[in-house]
Amino acid sequence: EALKRLSYEGFVDLHPNRGVTISTVSPHDAVEIHQLREGLEGVAARMCAVNHPEDIILQMEQCLDENAEAFLSGQYSKAIGFDNKFHTLLVAGSGNARMIQITEGILHQSGRANFLQATAAARMKRSAVQHRNILRAIKKSDPDLAEKYAREHMRDVQRFILMYQKTHEV
């Protein structure tokens, strides 16, 4: 049952009479995953700006500070963890339980592709700026701008992953 669930979530491929292999993230998969994230996180950012959950906003700010600290100390893996936490908090700030549940699975799937950012310092810096823009719009209670920045960020991540896969023939 556990393997069936992992297969359903896209983490493994089941091969009858041959076993199980860890699935890869194809360029097509990356596009689909980030299209979903663009829509969901865009709406989540909008809702977060409207709801203005102070506790989550403070956690997001702390997360971005810890991300910067980890990046500057060369702990890129740790920085990616804070990057993922920022996105989890963003969706939590929507206050929409179904969106939180759906996004959790998608974040896990995209995490396999997003770790590639740890190899690109310029991408991580750009991501940090984009996260700060999203948070600034949320703090200003500007739902249009928060959604715009969140969607632009996801499109930028998608472009990076596709370029990386093409360049490295992943």
Side-chain angles (χ1 to χ4, degrees):
E1 288 301 311
L3 288 174
K4 285 181 184 177
R5 176 69 183 201
L6 288 171
S7 175
Y8 173 76
E9 292 178 0
F11 292 105
V12 299
D13 295 319
L14 301 177
H15 307 283
N17 302 320
R18 293 186 313 187
V20 179
T21 58
I22 296 173
S23 62
T24 59
V25 179
S26 71
H28 178 76
D29 295 335
V31 168
E32 286 188 347
I33 289 167
H34 285 87
Q35 284 172 339
L36 282 169
R37 285 189 64 188
E38 179 187 338
L40 288 168
E41 291 187 36
V43 172
R46 169 176 286 285
M47 293 171 71
C48 194
V50 170
N51 296 339
H52 211 269
E54 288 296 331
D55 58 329
I56 290 178
I57 290 171
L58 288 173
Q59 290 177 61
M60 291 169 79
E61 187 125 45
Q62 181 180 1
C63 184
L64 293 182
D65 292 343
E66 291 171 339
N67 174 283
E69 188 177 307
F71 177 76
L72 289 173
S73 66
Q75 298 175 325
Y76 302 126
S77 215
K78 193 173 182 181
I80 290 294
F82 288 119
D83 183 290
N84 291 335
K85 183 177 178 183
F86 175 84
H87 289 275
T88 300
L89 289 166
L90 175 66
V91 175
S94 74
N96 183 317
R98 285 181 175 83
M99 185 181 296
I100 293 166
Q101 182 182 14
I102 290 167
T103 305
E104 183 179 315
I106 294 167
L107 286 173
H108 285 299
Q109 289 182 31
S110 69
R112 295 182 307 146
N114 288 347
F115 81 91
L116 300 174
Q117 294 183 79
T119 65
R123 171 67 212 128
M124 289 181 73
K125 286 180 187 176
R126 196 164 65 246
S127 184
V129 169
Q130 292 166 343
H131 287 165
R132 292 275 179 200
N133 288 339
I134 295 165
L135 184 57
R136 196 169 13 264
I138 289 169
K139 288 169 97 175
K140 289 183 353 186
S141 297
D142 188 333
D144 292 334
L145 196 56
E147 180 173 359
K148 175 184 182 269
Y149 285 148
R151 286 178 178 275
E152 286 175 354
H153 173 58
M154 277 298 102
R155 285 191 298 267
D156 192 46
V157 171
Q158 179 183 325
R159 281 189 299 273
F160 169 79
I161 291 170
L162 289 173
M163 180 206 61
Y164 183 95
Q165 288 176 323
K166 185 176 182 177
T167 303
H168 295 88
E169 296 179 20
V170 175

